[in-house]
Every structure is written in structure tokens, then in C-alpha cells.
């Protein structure tokens, strides 16, 4: 073992960040533990992280630990149950370990360390003598799982790395091991990680007689992660083998192996369709993609391989120009959990896995360090403050895996998930946020994220202490105090001027402001405003001789802004989204009367009232009265303001409807929210499923089939086997000629009725039998209207009733009713 000089190596390893060829002035980030937070926004999150999120996550990842414990017992010959058939539950545990280690780096905690040491022992016991670590293969439980094809794990170690997650899991272990080593100096986890990495190098690149018949596997894993983890292992140990391995795994992707199939076996799914340097678009599973791009940026930087940068820039452009939600969410599409076609950015159906937004932050922060361009931090900031933070509730114990931009009230965060990648990614990302704030070259300082904090920046000519005071992202002013150790030290202080201060919210072609609410940002030094400050690559640069106590005030106005998406994003045509500073705002049903889909924002409000929320939303800026209109179900539009809150804070006060992109005219509301036909006073049903709408049956939409799920409907689900009614009350006595019904049938819980018939009322009469035209009868046919006529002339009524008898084990539903009146 070669740990003797680790501490000495670590010091230089942390500052090791060579750059692409030729560039001397590379950026070095100030590590998160070197930044003390003095704010409310993030400090509060860190407290919750320590008190709630990480303890909860340890508890919930116990299943992974149990698998490891059983594996250790198996190896020692101790009778125990075998491990589960999970392919990746240990990865979740490793991510929690990583997050916990970061907390220790901020503040040592004996109990937490003891807990981690005990876990390290269990992991160590589960590792085979040669370094292999994967409970399902070691204990043989893989036999109970699907072996091949799709999401299997193969019948031998490393025989199905496209989906086994063997390398993904240990990648997360490496990240945890490095974090714990850096936090405590303890090498217990690091030893396991290095043993694993050296074993993998042998099996994959040299050949090991116990694996793959001695032939090097030489295949990139289906789920990226080990690549960027190996870079971290290299940075912590300075062993160049790990960097070489990372580069090899990046280089062979799309070269030595390409899956051939659909879905999770498609070549694009794990970005194996072409070699990485030839990739131009973001495709496939979005978490895998962002981990790959992050690793490419790392490998490119550390090996001075400039051939990776063009691909990274193209992919980045493709993301921000065509495939990113305004919340910074990536991977819009369900099914592959990934990138859809360009511009396909649905709202209600948006996938936007929390992990993908975390990956978006990782990728963009690395690109910023490479390119010194603020636009990357603009994207990282938007992803962080919107999609990432929406992934966890304000209490830190409930999580979103999927982050839609609209909800009809059927979405709630979960306490945990069977696949727990998202909450555990939050466990490790949030403590690192202070590491996104400061970076430096040998002579200049960059401030890339604003929050009340303090740090010391080691410039070559002397340390500089920077203190920030602000309540960002709600306060517009950032007060910086600059304290160089040496008076009159010359350097540039570079402050990021976010894209959202100008004409659009986030870099790229997708979104732009449509209002004139812009206010100019400004900067002053020791009370004197800087005239015509210039911005280069997203930063304003103040170059001067600094002395102790110099004060800089950056004022970034945060008026309410109105956003359009470009027309190619069909989901948002004639829709508008509200942002303020780096925050996307949404409305929740709980704060707004009526239905959110009936609101439309058709005017620009220059100064809506902004106030602090209360209770759960304490300290959060709420837009309390944004001008809008409301189209009620009778088709009448009235002025009605909307209350909005930051998107990240939604779903903290119970389940409610939510919307980000609002219609901007009445016509669009009429298309999407049913209006009561003129002749009707009201419609009511015996029962309506909570997400259905009885008004939908008169929306005028023509169904494509009885299983048309694209238009609103009425169903009585989950009431099975009963008799249901829908009543239509007319405003005045109305002559009815015919009635036609288009049934909804999903071939499951809602099916065609057994029978149906009509009744009517005149005045206060009882319900009376509908006089059916002599040759008509009540047909029950799928995929078409079922039409009956009234017998006789002058059939004038006050109300009409549809009686429907459900099949025994299903309910009934209606897509459309057409009532022909004279
Ligand atoms: Zn996830």
C-alpha cells in the first residue's frame, strides 16, 4: 500500500487543475469547505441537510447496507440470507456517505464518523480479495434476477456492463471515499476504492484470468459515473493510473461496444452511438449524459486534451438551444428518462429527473472552470435554484424524482423511492454548493455565485479575504468587502453578471423576455459608481490596486420578467412564464381561486406586489398579485390577479395544482378549459374522478377514439359496478332533437357501460322517460358517437339526464356529449 505521503500529495492535488493546451491562467475553484456561509438561504439548507436529509437518507439506504453485510457474511462463510437482486442500491448508500463526508468537512462529528467507519468496515468485508465489489454476483443472487437483455446483470461479473451498474456503483464509492478522506484524513474507504479501481483496470484494460477468459473487457459501462469518480480518485491520490483509466473509459465509449436495440438498448441511450469526440447533440438518458460530459470536461482539462472541447461546446449549445426547460431541467421525456427530440419540452408530462439537473450543475461548473465564461454558471445557477431545489421539500424529507412544470393536482413528493438516485444526489450536491461560489487564477478572483459568505483566496502575490453580504436570490444588492493581506495589491475582481439581467433568463435560444421591465445593473466601489461597466464573458472585471476594507456594491435588479419560448417549442406557443432574478415562478391552486388553466396573463404588470411568504414559505419572496384574467366556466372573462411563488418551493403545503407557463390570451384558455355551452345553466354528475371534469363532456373536442387521453374527459372512476348519472340543466325550456354520446373506455378501470338511457324534466317534475324515436335504441359502441333522437315535434325540456349502468368491475366515462337543440 502506498499511502505514506498522502497528505503532502493532497495539498498539491487539490490545487492541481491544468488547462487545455497553452492557457496558463487557469481557474481553480475554492473548495466548499473553505467558504463559510453566513446567509439564511443556504445555511438553512445545510442545517436541514445535517439534521434531516442525511439521517433520513442513511435510514432509507439501509437496504444497500444490508446487501453488503450479507455479502461480507457470505465471504466469511457465515450463514445468512443472500443479497437482494438489486443492481444499484449500494450506489445510493455511497452517495449518502459522500454527502455525510462533506458535512464532516464543514464540521467534525464523532458520532457521524463512527457511523461511517462502521459502514466502511461492512463495505470492506463485502469486497472480494481481488477487489471485486457487487453483492449480487458475489453471493449469487443474480440468478434470481433477469440475466440478459435490457436491464439485467449478466451471468458472470462484468459480462453485461451495459446495464449491470457494476462500475457505476463503485464510481459512487470512489467519490464517497475521496470525500471522507478529505474530510477526515481517514483512508478506510479510500483503500477499498483504490483496491477496486486497480482491479477494474486489470480486468478492463490488462486482462485478468478470472474474468472474461483473461481477455481485457475493454468496454465502457452503460451508466457513466466511474469516469468522473476516477478523476477525483486521481486528484486525491495523485496516482496517474486513475486519470489514465478515466481517459480510457471516455475514449472507448462508442468505439469498442455499441448496443443494438431499442429503448435502454439503443445506441444513444448511454451515449454509445458514436465516439465521444464526434457527438454533437445531447441524446439518451440525461443523467448518464451529464455525468459523461462532466467527465469529458475533467479529462480534457487534466490531460490537456483539447480534442474533447469542441464536442462539449456543441453538446452544450444543443442543450441550451433546443432541449432545456426554463427551470434548467434536462431529460424532458419519460420512458428513457432522457433527452427527447429537439424542442420537445412538454410541461405536464415533463420528466426532468432531479439527478439530471444535478448533473447539469456539475457539467456547467466544470465548463465554467475550463472556459472562464459566466454563461455556464448562468445555466448552473438556473438549474440549481429551480429544478435541483424543487427536488426536495423545504423540510428536507420528501423528494421529487420527476419535475413537471404543470400539475393538475396529482403530483406529490415521495418520502423515498425504490430507485433512490435523486434524494441521494441531493444529499451530496447541496453541501457542495458553497464550492460553486469562488474561484481564482494566480492573480485574479472570480465570484460566480452570490450569497452571504466569507472566504480566503490565495492569489500568488498574497491572500485576499472576500466577504459577501446579501440575501440572494431575493435581494438585489450584493455587498462585498475586499481585504487583501498586502495593501495596494493589484488584481482583478471578476463578478458574474447573470444573463437574466439582460434580455433573457438563461443562455441559449429557447427563452427571451417580452417585457420592458428591465432595470440596469450597477456597480460601485467605495461609494463611487463605475461608469459604463463592461461585461466580458459574463463577468464585470474591476482591475485596481486594492486595499483593506475596500467596498464593492453590485446591484442586480430583479424585476418581474415575462418570458416567451421560441415558437418551435410547441407546448409553450401563446404561453408566458414569469421569472424574477434567477428564479422561475409558478402558481399553486392553494393560493389561487378557481382553476389555474382558466387564468391568462395578457398584460405586463410593471410592479406587482412582492412580499415575504408566511409559515412554510417564510423568508421566500412571493408575487402576491400579478395582473391576469380569468375565464370562468360560463365563458366570462374577468380581471383576477395571480399569486405566485418560486418554483422550487411548490408542493410544500399539501397537494395542489401548479402551473409555470400560463396562457396569454383568452382563445388559448377556451381551447384548453371547457366552457359551458350557452344554452346550459349547469352540468353535474353523480360522481367525478378527482382529475376529471364533467364540463369536459361539452368541450366540443372531437375524440380520436374511445381511448383518447389527449382531451379532458369525465369518468366516475373508481366507483365500480354502480349506476351513474350526468345531468344537464338548461337556462330556459329548450327543444331537444337528439343526443349523442362518445364513451371513454381504457379497457381497464373505465369501460363501456352495460346499458344507458335518457330521462328529462320539465319544471319541478320527476325524471321522466325520454321519448325515443321509433327506430332508435341506446347503442353502446366504441370509437364513435352513439346517437338517439327524440320522438315527436316540440319536445321541450328543462333538464336532461344520462343514466349509465357500469360493468361489475369497472366504471363508466364519457368523452363528449352532443345535444342538438332546435
Ligand atoms: Zn435520479
Amino acid at each position: 500500500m502506498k499511502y505514506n505521503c498522502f497528505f503532502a500529495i493532497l495539498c498539491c492535488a487539490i490545487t492541481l487543475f491544468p488547462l487545455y493546451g497553452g492557457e496558463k491562467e487557469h481557474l481553480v475553484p475554492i473548495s466548499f469547505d473553505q467558504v463559510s456561509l453566513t446567509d439564511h438561504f443556504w445555511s438553512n439548507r445545510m442545517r436541514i441537510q445535517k439534521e434531516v436529509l442525511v439521517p433520513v437518507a442513511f435510514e432509507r439506504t439501509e437496504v444497500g447496507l444490508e446487501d453488503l453485510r450479507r455479502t461480507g457474511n457470505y465471504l466469511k462463510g457465515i450463514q445468512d440470507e443472500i443479497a437482494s437482486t438489486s443492481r444499484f442500491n449500494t450506489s445510493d448508500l455511497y452517495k449518502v456517505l459522500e454527502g455525510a463526508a462533506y458535512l464532516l468537512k464543514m464540521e467534525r462529528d464523532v458520532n457521524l464518523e463512527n457511523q461511517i467507519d462502521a459502514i466502511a468496515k461492512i463495505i470492506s468485508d463485502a469486497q472480494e480479495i481481488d477487489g471485486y465489489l457487487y453483492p449480487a454476483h458475489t453471493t449469487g443472487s443474480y440468478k434470481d434476477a433477469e440475466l440478459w437483455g435490457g436491464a439485467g446483470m449478466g451471468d458472470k461479473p462484468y459480462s453485461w456492463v451495459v446495464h449491470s451498474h457494476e462500475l457505476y456503483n463503485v464510481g459512487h464509492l470512489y467519490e464517497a471515499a475521496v470525500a471522507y478522506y478529505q474530510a477526515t484524513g481517514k483512508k478506510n474507504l479510500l483503500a477499498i476504492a483504490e483496491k477496486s479501481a486497480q482491479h477494474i483496470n486489470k480486468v478492463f484494460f490488462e486482462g485478468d484470468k478470472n474474468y472474461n477468459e483473461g481477455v481485457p473487457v475493454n468496454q465502457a459501462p452503460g451508466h457513466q459515473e466511474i469516469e468522473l469518480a476516477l478523476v477525483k480518485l486521481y486528484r486525491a491520490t495523485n496516482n496517474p493510473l486513475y486519470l489514465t483509466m478515466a481517459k480510457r473509459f471516455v475514449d472507448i465509449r462508442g468505439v469498442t461496444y455499441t448496443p443494438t436495440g431499442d429503448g435502454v438498448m439503443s445506441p444513444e441511450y448511454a451515449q454509445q452511438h458514436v465516439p465521444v469526440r464526434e457527438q454533437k447533440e445531447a441524446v439518451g438518458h440525461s443523467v448518464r449524459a451529464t455525468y459523461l460530459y462532466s467527465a469529458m470536461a475533467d479529462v480534457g482539462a487534466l490531460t490537456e486534451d483539447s480534442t474533447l472541447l469542441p464536442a462539449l461546446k456543441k453538446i452544450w449549445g444543443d442543450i441550451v438551444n433546443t432541449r432545456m426547460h426554463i427551470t434548467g431541467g434536462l431529460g424532458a421525456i419519460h420512458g428513457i428518462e432522457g433527452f427527447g427530440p429537439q424542442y420537445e419540452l412538454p410541461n405536464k408530462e415533463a420528466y426532468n429527473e432531479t439527478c439530471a439537473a444535478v448533473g447539469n450543475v456539475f457539467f456547467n461548473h466544470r465548463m465554467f472552470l475550463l472556459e472562464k465564461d459566466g454563461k455556464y454558471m448562468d445555466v448552473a445557477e438556473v438549474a440549481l435554484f429551480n429544478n435541483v431545489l424543487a427536488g426536495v421539500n423545504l423540510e428536507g424529507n420528501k423528494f421529487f424524482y420527476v419535475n413537471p412544470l404543470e400539475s393538475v393536482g396529482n403530483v406529490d413528493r415521495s418520502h423515498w423511492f425504490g430507485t433512490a438516485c435523486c434524494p441521494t444526489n441531493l444529499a451530496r450536491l447541496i453541501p457542495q454548493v458553497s464550492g460553486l461560489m469562488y474561484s481564482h487564477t494566480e492573480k485574479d478572483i472570480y465570484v460566480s455565485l452570490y450569497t452571504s459568505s466569507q472566504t480566503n483566496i490565495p492569489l500568488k502575490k498574497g491572500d485576499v479575504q472576500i466577504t459577501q453580504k446579501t440575501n440572494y436570490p431575493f435581494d438585489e444588492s450584493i455587498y462585498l468587502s475586499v481585504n487583501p493581506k498586502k495593501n495596494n495589491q493589484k488584481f482583478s475582481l471578476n463578478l458574474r453578471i447573470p444573463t437574466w439581467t439582460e434580455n433573457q433568463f438563461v443562455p441559449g435560444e429557447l427563452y427571451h423576455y417580452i417585457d420592458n421591465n428591465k432595470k440596469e445593473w450597477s456597480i460601485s466601489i467605495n461609494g463611487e459608481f463605475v461608469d459604463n461597466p463592461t461585461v466580458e464573458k459574463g463577468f464585470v472585471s474591476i482591475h485596481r490596486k486594492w486595499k483593506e476594507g475596500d467596498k464593492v456594491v453590485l446591484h442586480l435588479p430583479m424585476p418581474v420578467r415575462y418570458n416567451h419560448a421560441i415558437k418551435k417549442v410547441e407546448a409553450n406557443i401563446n404561453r408566458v412564464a414569469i421569472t424574477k432574478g434567477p428564479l422561475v415562478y409558478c402558481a399553486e391552486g392553494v393560493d389561487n381561486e378557481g382553476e389555474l388553466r382558466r387564468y391568462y396573463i395578457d398584460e405586463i404588470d410593471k410592479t406587482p406586489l412582492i412580499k415575504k411568504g408566511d409559515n412554510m414559505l417564510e423568508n421566500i419572496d412571493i408575487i402576491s398579485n400579478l395582473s391576469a384574467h380569468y375565464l370562468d366556466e360560463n365563458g366570462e372573462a374577468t380581471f383576477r390577479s395571480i399569486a405566485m411563488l418560486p418554483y422550487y418551493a411548490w408542493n410544500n403545503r399539501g397537494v395542489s395544482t401548479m402551473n409555470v407557463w400560463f396562457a396569454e390570451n383568452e382563445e388559448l384558455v377556451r381551447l384548453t378549459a371547457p366552457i359551458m355551452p350557452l344554452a346550459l345553466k349547469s352540468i353535474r354528475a353523480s360522481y367525478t374522478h378527482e382529475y376529471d371534469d364533467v364540463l369536459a363532456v361539452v368541450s366540443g373536442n372531437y375524440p380520436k377514439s374511445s381511448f383518447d387521453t389527449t382531451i379532458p374527459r369525465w369518468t366516475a372512476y373508481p366507483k365500480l359496478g354502480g349506476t351513474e348519472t350526468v345531468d344537464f340543466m338548461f337556462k330556459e325550456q329548450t327543444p331537444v332533437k337528439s343526443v349523442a354520446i362518445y364513451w371513454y373506455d381504457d379497457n381497464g378501470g373505465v369501460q363501456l357501460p352495460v346499458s344507458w338511457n335518457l330521462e328529462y324534466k320539465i319544471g319541478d317534475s320527476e325524471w321522466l322517460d325520454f321519448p325515443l324515436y321509433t327506430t332508435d335504441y341506446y347503442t353502446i359502441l366504441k370509437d364513435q358517437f352513439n346517437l338517439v333522437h327524440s320522438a315527436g315535434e316540440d319536445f321541450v325540456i328543462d333538464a336532461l339526464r344520462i343514466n349509465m349502468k357500469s360493468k361489475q368491475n369497472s366504471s363508466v366515462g364519457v368523452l363528449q356529449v352532443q345535444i342538438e337543440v332546435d
Side-chain angles (χ1 to χ4, degrees), residues 281-518:
E281 295 184 8
V283 296
H285 189 277
S286 50
V287 183
R288 296 167 202 241
T290 51
Y291 287 7
L292 169 66
Y293 309 148
S294 300
M296 284 165 68
D298 279 345
V299 167
L302 290 170
T303 64
E304 301 199 12
D305 178 353
S306 61
T307 65
L308 286 161
L309 191 58
L312 287 171
K313 284 182 164 177
K314 278 182 202 144
I315 291 165
W316 185 84
D318 178 63
I319 290 174
V320 300
N321 293 331
T322 75
R323 296 177 214 257
M324 187 171 78
H325 273 98
I326 194 167
T327 51
L330 302 185
I333 304 300
H334 284 249
I336 63 160
E337 302 188 309
F339 294 104
Q342 292 184 321
Y343 311 110
E344 196 168 319
L345 297 165
N347 293 316
K348 196 160 58 187
E349 295 82 24
Y351 196 71
N352 291 346
E353 184 178 339
T354 301
C355 286
V358 169
N360 202 12
V361 174
F362 288 156
F363 173 39
N364 276 285
H365 184 232
R366 283 165 168 85
M367 288 300 286
F368 159 62
L369 294 174
L370 270 183
E371 294 279 288
K372 276 192 230 159
D373 193 329
K375 70 182 181 184
Y376 298 110
M377 283 309 294
D378 292 350
V379 176
E381 176 180 71
V382 163
L384 177 67
F385 277 112
N386 298 290
N387 197 330
V388 169
L389 286 186
V392 54
N393 65 349
L394 296 167
E395 289 170 275
N397 57 8
K398 283 181 84 179
F399 307 90
F400 274 140
Y401 193 109
V402 173
N403 294 277
L405 280 77
E406 179 190 348
S407 167
V408 293
N410 54 349
V411 174
D412 194 7
R413 289 189 184 86
S414 300
H415 286 288
W416 207 247
F417 307 94
T419 294
C421 51
C422 295
T424 52
N425 240 334
L426 291 162
R428 75 189 184 125
L429 172 70
I430 290 173
Q432 299 181 70
V433 164
S434 49
L436 306 175
M437 291 170 186
Y438 301 94
S439 53
H440 65 100
T441 61
E442 281 189 352
K443 55 186 179 56
D444 297 324
I445 294 171
Y446 285 74
V447 183
S448 48
L449 203 61
Y450 301 112
T451 202
S452 287
S453 57
Q454 194 175 62
T455 194
N456 190 59
I457 298 181
L459 296 185
K460 198 173 179 188
K461 289 192 176 156
D463 288 6
V464 180
Q465 189 199 63
I466 301 272
T467 306
Q468 267 193 72
K469 278 205 172 66
T470 175
N471 187 29
Y472 196 89
F474 300 120
D475 265 9
E476 300 182 339
S477 292
I478 297 137
Y479 301 88
L480 294 120
S481 157
V482 182
N483 293 302
K485 264 215 174 117
K486 282 185 218 148
N487 242 348
N488 291 321
Q489 193 175 330
K490 224 175 173 183
F491 59 87
S492 295
L493 177 69
N494 298 286
L495 303 176
R496 185 170 63 93
I497 306 301
T499 294
W500 55 257
T501 60
E502 294 294 329
N503 302 316
Q504 60 188 72
F505 180 62
V506 65
E509 292 167 6
L510 284 169
Y511 309 103
H512 57 276
Y513 295 142
I514 55 165
D515 59 72
N516 293 320
N517 289 354
K518 182 180 167 184

Side-chain angles (χ1 to χ4, degrees), residues 27-281:
L27 271 184
V28 179
I30 299 291
S31 174
F32 66 92
D33 57 299
Q34 300 300 313
V35 177
S36 2
L37 294 173
T38 52
D39 73 325
H40 176 80
F41 193 90
W42 291 111
S43 297
N44 192 42
R45 289 270 175 182
M46 300 307 165
R47 182 185 59 75
I48 289 168
Q49 200 79 8
K50 191 169 163 67
E51 291 173 6
V52 184
L53 203 159
V54 165
V56 162
F58 265 128
E59 209 180 291
R60 307 267 157 79
T61 50
E62 180 66 31
V63 284
L65 188 62
E66 185 56 33
D67 275 354
L68 291 161
R69 195 180 283 127
R70 289 174 185 180
T71 308
N73 285 344
Y74 176 89
L75 288 173
K76 285 185 216 150
I78 298 169
Q79 276 282 316
D80 199 350
E81 288 178 61
I82 60 167
S84 78
T85 57
S86 171
R87 289 175 295 144
F88 45 70
N89 65 12
T90 54
S91 71
D92 298 327
L93 170 70
Y94 302 150
K95 271 190 283 182
V96 183
L97 284 175
E98 184 190 345
Y102 294 146
L103 295 177
L104 286 175
K105 202 164 177 188
M106 287 184 257
E107 191 184 6
R108 295 291 286 264
D109 174 336
V110 178
N111 291 336
L112 186 54
E113 274 181 51
N114 288 342
Q115 187 182 0
I116 294 177
D117 289 340
I119 293 171
K121 175 76 173 69
I122 292 167
I123 301 171
S124 169
D125 288 348
Q127 186 173 35
E128 293 190 32
I129 251 169
D130 66 357
Y132 187 68
L133 181 57
Y134 191 73
H137 272 308
T138 298
T139 63
S141 66
Y142 74 93
K143 289 179 197 138
D144 300 330
E146 191 189 352
L147 300 185
W148 295 101
M153 56 179 102
D155 64 351
K156 291 191 187 80
Y158 305 124
S159 61
W160 195 238
V161 292
V162 64
H163 284 298
S164 67
H165 288 56
E166 281 156 299
L167 304 194
Y168 167 83
N169 295 340
V170 294
H172 279 304
L173 173 67
Y174 301 172
E175 288 201 81
V178 169
Y180 193 53
Y181 170 56
Q182 290 178 340
T184 63
K186 290 183 186 172
K187 298 167 192 163
N188 44 359
L189 281 172
L190 198 64
I192 305 167
E194 287 211 273
K195 188 171 167 184
S196 160
Q198 287 167 23
H199 151 77
I200 285 170
N201 181 59
K202 196 171 174 205
V203 175
F204 277 72
F205 301 121
E206 292 173 355
D208 183 322
K209 64 178 173 19
N210 297 319
Y211 299 86
N212 200 34
E213 291 164 351
V215 179
V217 175
N218 199 32
Q219 181 183 331
H223 203 316
Q224 297 88 332
E225 158 60 24
I226 196 170
E227 302 85 351
L228 68 85
L230 282 164
V231 171
K232 283 194 177 176
L233 200 55
Y234 161 66
R235 284 201 171 117
T237 64
N238 219 22
N239 182 341
L241 170 69
Y242 308 137
L243 181 59
T244 306
M245 287 173 70
K247 180 169 159 52
R248 276 186 151 166
F249 277 125
V250 165
D251 288 348
I252 64 175
R253 180 165 296 276
V255 175
T256 58
Y257 171 81
T258 304
T260 50
D262 298 322
V264 299
M265 283 304 288
S266 74
E268 288 83 10
Y269 181 69
Q271 298 79 38
Q272 313 208 59
H273 51 304
V274 289
V276 295
R277 289 172 183 78
E278 291 166 32
Q279 299 196 12
K280 299 182 180 79
E281 295 184 8

Side-chain angles (χ1 to χ4, degrees), residues 736-769:
V736 172
K737 281 176 75 176
S738 69
V739 178
I741 300 180
Y742 206 117
W743 302 107
Y744 177 74
D745 186 323
D746 62 12
N747 202 23
V750 182
Q751 296 190 19
L752 296 179
V754 180
S755 64
W756 68 282
N757 71 298
L758 298 172
E759 290 179 313
Y760 71 96
K761 246 184 194 193
I762 295 174
D764 291 335
S765 76
E766 297 289 297
W767 285 104
L768 306 164
D769 258 353

